[in-house]
Every structure is written in C-alpha cells, then in structure tokens.
Amino acid sequence: ASPMSQPLWQPSLQRVADAHLTAFFEQVESDWAVRCDSYSSLYEWSCREIGKFWTSVWRFGGVIGDMGDSTPLADPEQMPGARFFPDARLNYAENLLRRRGDADAIVFWGEGRIRRRLSFDELHDRVSRLAQAFQAMGVGEGDRVAAFMPNLPETVIALLAASSVGAIFSSCSPDFGVEGVVDRFGQIEPKVLVCADGYYFKEKSFPLLGRIAEITARLPTLEHVLVAGYLNDEPDLRALGGSGGGAGTGTSGGLVRPLQASRLDEVLAAQPGGEIAYRRLPFNHPIYILYSSGTTGKPKCIVHSTGGVLLKHLCELGLLCDVKRDDRVFYFTTCGWMMWNWLVSALACEATLLLFDGNPFSPRRRVLFDLAEAERMTLFGTSAKYIDAIKNAGLDPARTHDLSPLRTITSTGSPLAPEGFDYVYGHIKEDLCLSSISGGTDLVGCFVCGNPIGPVWRGEIQARALGMAVDVLDGEGRSLRGEKGELVCTAPFPSMPVYFWNDPDGARYRAAYFERYPGIWWHGDFAELTEHDGVIIYGRSDATLNPAGVRIGTAEIYRQVEKLDEVDEGIVIGQEWKGDVRIVLFVKLKGDLELTADLIHRIKAAVRSGCSPRHVPARVLQVADIPRTKSGKIVELAVREVVHRRPVRNLEALANPEALDLFADREELET
C-alpha cells in the first residue's frame, strides 16, 4: 500500500481500552440503553439525540450542581433560541475547584526566569480570599471583572473568584495598546480591573502602570484596580494615583471619582480565606465575555454561559483530548485568546495547568520542550504557526528531549499543512495523537477536533466534535461530501453565545451566524468532509478567492508556497481586476533573500502542480512582513482592503499594524 493509504498514527489497543471515550460508551449504554461501538456511531447518535448526549456528558464529567427535572433541551428546533437544561443550577468555579490536596494545580514559567507552583489547596485558598475581597467591594451577580494580564496564575484566580460570586469575567493580553483595551472593556463597563505591573517578552521587561493609568481614566465605571506584582514584588501604585497601596482618583469626562488602587497580594492577605460560598446560578448565566478579532470595526462582545462552557469543555478536554486526573495540560496562549479559557477548564478534569508567559523562543528556541520535559507534559497545545516555525528552525525534540509522558498535541489558529503532520511524527514523537482542531471564539470550543481512539490521516482533522451537527454546504444549502463548501452546524449546541453585549434585540447576533442559511449556524470557514469522515479546512470563507467564479481556499496556496525553502510565509488576496478577481500573492522570504524571476517561476509551478492552474497567482510580490492578529492569525481581509485603498478599521486588533503599509500603493498592482 502507498503511504498515503495508511494513517500516520493508530492508537494501541491499550490506549483505546484506557480512553475516557471508551468508558463513555458504557455511560451512554447505561443511561439510554443505546449501544455505540465506534466514534462514528457515537457521533451520529450524539447529533440525533442532542439532549440525551449532553445529559450523559454532565453525568460522565461529574458536574457539581442540580441538573433540574425538566427537559435537557427546550425549543430544540429554534436556532438561535434553543435552551439547554433550563432549570439547572451550577457554578463554574465550584466545578473547577473540586480537587483539593498538595498536588500541583498550576505550574507557571515566565520566559525561563520566573517559576512558581500552586497546589490545589493553595489555589482554593487564593480564590477564596479574592472572592471575599470582591464581595467586600460590592461585586456580585452580573457585575463585570476585567483582567489586563499576562498568563499568570493570578489571572486564573481572578476568573475563578469572579465566577464564584456570579460576576462576569473578561480578559485582554498586555500587548494590547490603550485603544485596543478601551475598545473592549469600554463596551462592557467593568467595576473592577485586575492587572499586572508589567510583563516580559524576548527577555525585555515592559512596565504597564503608565498605560493602565490611561486605561482607567477612560473606564468611568471602574471602582477598584488590583495590581499583581510581576516585574516587582511591590509595585509602586503612584502612577495610578495611589500612594503605595492607597486610594487614588480617576478622572473621566471632567468628573473625579474615587478609584481604589491596591496591590493584589495585600488584598488577598487581608481576607481570612476558608470555604467558598459558591453562588449556583442558571445554566445560561454569563461566565465571561470574549471578543471577536475586531479587524472590521469595534470587536463584538460575545457573552458565554456558565453551563454551556463547562459542558463543552468537559466534552472536548475529557472525551476528545482524553484529559484525565493528574494529566499536565499546556496551551501556548495569551489571555486574549479563547484557548486560554479552554485551558483553564482542564481543572474540571482534575488536571494540572502548565502556564507559560512570554516569547515561545525565549530564552532558548526549545524552551517549550524544556517545559514539556521538566513538567512531564501530557497535552501540548499550540498553533500551526509554531509547528511551522520550529520545523523551519530545524528543531528535533524527539532527539533532544524526553517526551515519554506526552500523549496529545493539539494545533489550531490556522490549518496545519500536511508537512506539519510529517514534522510532528518525524521530529517530535511517533506515538501521539495529533489533533488539529478548529472552532472559534464564538463557541469557545471546536466544531472539528481530535479523536483519541481513531487514526490520524495526513493533512486531515480527525473528526467532527461530538454533539455538533457539522455539515458542509454549497451555496444552495445542499450537503457536500468530498467537495469544498461552507462549514455549518445544523442543530443547537450548549456553548452557543447567550447573546452579544449591547445587542438588545439580537440583530447583530443573528446577522453574525444565521443570515447566510436561516436556522443554521454559518461559521465562515471553507471546508471539506473527507472519505475518512475527517475534515480539511481551507481557510476563512470570507477570504476565499473567486477567480472566474471558482472558489479557492487560501490555505491551499500557502501549503504549496511554503514548501519552497526560500519562502518564510505568504499572504494571498483576491484583487478586483477588469471585472473579475485575480490572485495576488505576497511572500516574506527567509533572511535577506530577494525575489527573483526564477523564484517567481518556481512558486507558480508549485501552485500549478500542487493545486491547479486556476490557483496560480497573477502577481507574486515580496514584502518584509505580514500583518497578523494578536493571536497570530494572518489578516487577509485587512490586506485586501489596503490594496483596494479602502479603510481598515480597528488596527488595535493587530500585533504589527505597521506591516499594512507595505501593501499600500504598490505600482505592480496597477498593471
């Protein structure tokens, strides 16, 4: 058999026997007298019997709370509008803090220089103290607690403390500028801001208190600022108007209001701790607000539900990533990306969180693998971009590191190229489940994901997520198999947003997901269902190219172009041209290489042979940098707008907005 007719990985019989998913088959059989003997039979049943499926997830995940007596799914035909567990009561923090003892709950590495550990008992104690402090500040049900924080243990503590009292949490990473933070937090009007005095990146320190003073001046609802010391044990709060730990004043619109600025450690020390008085609230009570990337205007404020998030994450972490008690789970993420929220939920599986803050190549290129080896990591979560970067850097962790506990690598952020799969199995570890996953901020989870009891095929996402009625449709709404189309979800799922903030009639919410195909969630990904019942994602469908009416996914072109040794990465757009669209490819080359006629010829040949003649770019141009969002996604739409001399709104969402200037007024695009 040719290598392409064989999977890259197949779980051992022992691994299948030990998997949570295998035990879950028995849960379903005992709950409903339904026999499922394979992932595909379980998947089909989970989409047919949605309420029963999520009831079994609740039971298998040992959710702490009251499920209620009524139906698990009210108004199931409503999209949007269906309600899961309408009379359930639960608390997110109570479910995440179920484990006690002196085992590691959180291990933190800050760019190699700062390392800390918190046991489950210590985590519980700090959450208890902060929850008491929040209550003393008058923070209660529905109030907003905002965090402008690096990926520190204190950020997790702030989320859990806010959730325990029924408040709504929202976070931004510290690389956001003042406008980016105000664009987000200004919409949700927080009562408390938790922040750090600075952060480290590429072994430089970046103080934040000056920026925080500007931010607090523009958030008129703020009453308290709590500052965690990261650069300094005792941050100087005078920049915030406080004298050391004292009160300051914030000015807003000419009004002076009292703004209490305090050091977080002093606030915690002032509380007695002890047991936590969790507020059990309805299933749909908001737990946090996430933000769309906001490259086309002010970011949308997406409100997520306590119960929906908990059940979805128990399903994805516990069943689809096989996370168990005592596992050690890592995701390379900032607190501005939904993967941070996802990671935190691993505490509900009684696993240890491994947190890293800073540059993933500082102080050494191999630092994340040093963390994996030292902390016996079992799940390594990262982005396709990182896998590509370490492949290009020639890292060979399989030879340099002991990764024997590692069972799963998850990759998301953008599609993982087939060569990325080859690299993981050739140079990181032969025996692991490589789960390319895809979903979004909109559902704080995945539509398509890994399957720890199934094979991994080169270049394919293993499976559609359980309980998610995922399909691929053509423009007329017909289901496609083996062809590219729009990724949709045809039935309700618990982690659908409850609503958008400041969208009283739900118009913006419906427009975002339900206008393309009424009653069906349209996700905006260009995708294909494969013969193995896997999925390939070809990029965002709003960035899909349409030359001569043929739809082409941008990821297909990147896959071919980035095989060439000279190319670091590319970005491709459709340029409106003479009544049609022509494909324009911009490439960033390695080192100080120049784009030559020969290289252009080889790029076009690679695209022609690897994709089709229709995919071949009309123009190939060199750029020094490629713009991307804070979470590392390249922004094709922003480049397209610049090329067409249209305004790009909300540059604050970009990590490197200055890169857009490289695409403006290019003479080569006039011919």
Side-chain angles (χ1 to χ4, degrees):
S2 77
M4 295 311 293
S5 64
Q6 295 297 315
L8 289 174
W9 177 79
Q10 195 84 34
S12 66
L13 292 173
Q14 187 63 50
R15 177 148 179 179
V16 173
D18 293 343
H20 270 161
L21 209 42
T22 303
F24 185 70
F25 289 151
E26 294 167 16
Q27 173 88 47
V28 168
E29 189 168 3
S30 85
D31 284 347
W32 314 108
V34 169
R35 256 200 88 60
C36 297
D37 55 358
S38 65
Y39 187 91
S40 58
S41 63
L42 179 62
Y43 173 76
E44 294 300 331
W45 176 80
S46 75
C47 294
R48 208 170 48 243
E49 297 286 357
I50 297 169
K52 290 180 178 177
F53 168 73
W54 290 107
T55 300
S56 289
V57 171
W58 179 302
R59 291 176 181 155
F60 188 81
V63 171
I64 301 167
D66 176 9
M67 195 189 288
D69 298 326
S70 69
T71 171
L73 179 57
D75 307 316
E77 62 299 321
Q78 297 286 316
M79 269 276 270
R83 289 171 302 126
F84 284 85
F85 302 101
D87 50 3
R89 313 280 296 186
L90 74 167
N91 183 283
Y92 178 76
E94 184 175 12
N95 279 275
L96 269 68
L97 293 169
R98 61 177 77 184
R99 185 172 176 183
R100 303 292 283 274
D102 56 8
D104 290 335
I106 298 179
V107 178
F108 169 75
W109 282 27
E111 263 197 26
R113 62 156 62 67
I114 294 169
R115 298 188 185 177
R116 292 170 48 205
R117 286 174 195 279
L118 283 178
S119 70
F120 286 96
D121 280 347
E122 288 167 330
L123 175 62
H124 183 279
D125 176 64
R126 288 184 197 189
V127 173
S128 169
R129 289 167 186 269
L130 187 53
Q132 290 167 350
F134 282 160
Q135 285 175 309
M137 294 169 190
V139 175
E141 220 171 290
D143 287 331
R144 274 79 62 210
V145 172
F148 181 49
M149 288 284 275
N151 186 14
L152 300 176
E154 284 72 19
T155 322
V156 179
I157 291 163
L159 164 58
L160 295 176
S163 153
S164 75
V165 301
I168 308 173
F169 180 84
S170 193
S171 57
C172 274
S173 59
D175 50 352
F176 276 85
V178 172
E179 295 302 324
V181 178
V182 173
D183 274 353
R184 288 161 176 75
F185 294 164
Q187 295 187 67
I188 66 164
E189 301 181 301
K191 187 180 268 194
V192 178
L193 177 68
V194 182
C195 53
D197 62 342
Y199 64 101
Y200 297 97
F201 195 76
K202 292 189 178 171
E203 301 190 74
K204 291 198 189 76
S205 60
F206 292 85
L208 282 175
L209 291 175
R211 203 185 309 169
I212 290 163
E214 288 183 60
I215 291 165
T216 57
R218 293 176 58 188
L219 296 175
T221 57
L222 268 190
E223 295 174 14
H224 296 270
V225 182
L226 305 182
V227 182
Y230 184 28
L231 303 187
N232 302 286
D233 286 344
E234 296 194 351
D236 181 350
L237 303 190
R238 282 176 298 193
L240 300 178
S243 52
T249 52
T251 57
S252 171
L255 296 171
V256 177
R257 70 184 191 292
L259 177 65
Q260 190 81 26
S262 318
R263 292 195 194 116
L264 182 59
D265 57 355
E266 292 176 357
V267 167
L268 295 178
Q271 300 297 331
E275 288 309 311
I276 301 172
Y278 299 107
R279 295 204 60 159
R280 290 193 183 172
L281 293 157
F283 189 89
N284 264 354
H285 180 75
I287 176 166
Y288 42 61
I289 298 172
L290 301 184
Y291 303 95
S292 64
S293 58
T295 45
T296 53
K298 265 203 180 167
K300 296 191 287 283
C301 304
I302 304 170
V303 182
H304 283 291
S305 72
T306 302
V309 162
L310 183 65
L311 280 192
K312 183 76 172 120
H313 291 178
L314 282 171
C315 178
E316 291 187 6
L317 285 151
L319 299 179
L320 305 178
C321 293
D322 204 28
V323 172
K324 302 182 167 87
R325 183 184 167 100
D326 294 325
D327 275 346
R328 299 171 78 83
V329 180
F330 169 75
Y331 225 97
F332 179 69
T333 178
T334 69
C335 302
W337 189 24
M338 57 141 295
M339 294 316 302
W340 178 83
N341 305 74
W342 187 90
L343 167 66
V344 172
S345 292
L347 289 169
C349 302
E350 304 190 18
T352 301
L353 306 186
L354 304 180
L355 306 183
F356 179 89
D357 194 74
N359 179 298
F361 300 108
S362 289
R364 291 171 301 287
R365 277 188 161 160
R366 38 183 274 185
V367 65
L368 297 187
F369 291 98
D370 296 344
L371 172 67
E373 179 178 75
E375 296 299 340
R376 301 187 62 75
M377 186 186 292
T378 56
L379 184 150
F380 188 129
T382 185
S383 62
K385 176 83 188 125
Y386 175 80
I387 291 173
D388 204 40
I390 58 172
K391 173 168 77 76
N392 291 342
L395 259 62
D396 198 0
R399 310 286 166 273
T400 55
H401 289 73
D402 172 10
L403 302 175
S404 47
L406 188 64
R407 300 198 312 272
T408 308
I409 287 182
T410 57
S411 165
T412 189
S414 55
L416 182 63
E419 296 71 30
F421 283 73
D422 299 339
Y423 170 76
V424 167
Y425 285 109
H427 296 278
I428 298 181
K429 193 175 179 183
E430 281 180 5
D431 181 22
L432 57 69
C433 186
L434 173 56
S435 298
S436 179
I437 61 178
S438 182
T441 302
D442 315 85
L443 59 151
V444 223
C446 304
F447 280 122
V448 293
C449 60
N451 166 16
I453 63 170
V456 173
W457 295 90
R458 184 175 188 264
E460 289 187 25
I461 295 169
Q462 279 175 290
R464 292 175 282 179
L466 295 174
M468 307 294 277
V470 170
D471 204 351
V472 174
L473 302 185
D474 67 10
E476 274 66 63
R478 288 184 295 254
S479 200
L480 299 172
R481 180 61 74 125
E483 291 179 61
K484 297 164 200 159
E486 295 285 352
L487 183 81
V488 300
C489 191
T490 60
F493 51 92
S495 68
M496 289 167 67
V498 203
Y499 50 83
F500 289 172
W501 202 257
N502 295 333
D503 179 29
D505 61 354
R508 288 174 68 206
Y509 180 40
R510 286 190 301 277
Y513 313 115
F514 297 102
E515 265 180 10
R516 184 73 175 268
Y517 303 100
I520 290 176
W521 176 293
W522 168 73
H523 197 56
D525 277 341
F526 196 43
E528 176 187 343
L529 287 173
T530 71
E531 59 180 317
H532 306 121
D533 216 20
V535 184
I536 300 171
I537 305 255
Y538 292 101
R540 293 293 296 164
S541 63
D542 49 12
T544 300
L545 309 168
N546 254 333
V550 178
R551 298 189 75 201
I552 290 171
T554 53
E556 300 170 81
I557 296 176
Y558 301 143
R559 202 163 284 167
Q560 304 308 322
V561 170
E562 290 169 14
K563 284 180 188 173
L564 294 162
D565 291 339
E566 295 91 338
V567 177
D568 185 20
E569 61 178 340
I571 189 165
V572 68
I573 63 156
Q575 182 192 13
E576 293 157 17
W577 188 252
K578 298 188 174 170
D580 194 6
V581 172
R582 69 176 182 179
I583 297 174
V584 178
L585 169 68
F586 298 93
V587 288
K588 180 183 167 195
L589 302 182
K590 289 182 183 153
D592 47 11
L593 294 175
E594 293 289 325
L595 185 63
T596 61
D598 170 63
L599 182 53
I600 291 174
H601 174 75
R602 285 189 294 123
I603 287 170
K604 290 185 173 185
V607 174
R608 178 177 280 106
S609 65
C611 298
S612 80
R614 291 182 182 277
H615 292 69
V616 176
R619 285 273 183 274
V620 181
L621 305 174
Q622 185 171 0
V623 282
D625 197 11
I626 287 178
R628 49 184 70 250
T629 64
K630 305 275 187 192
S631 59
K633 296 186 172 77
I634 58 173
V635 286
E636 295 147 327
L637 298 183
V639 168
R640 188 178 76 193
E641 297 304 270
V642 167
V643 163
H644 291 108
R645 297 191 167 93
R646 297 193 285 253
V648 178
R649 295 192 289 282
N650 201 11
L651 297 173
E652 282 283 338
L654 302 185
N656 54 340
E658 66 286 347
L660 283 176
D661 298 341
L662 304 170
F663 299 83
D665 304 320
R666 298 285 297 244
E667 286 173 24
E668 310 96 323
L669 294 176
E670 307 298 326
T671 56

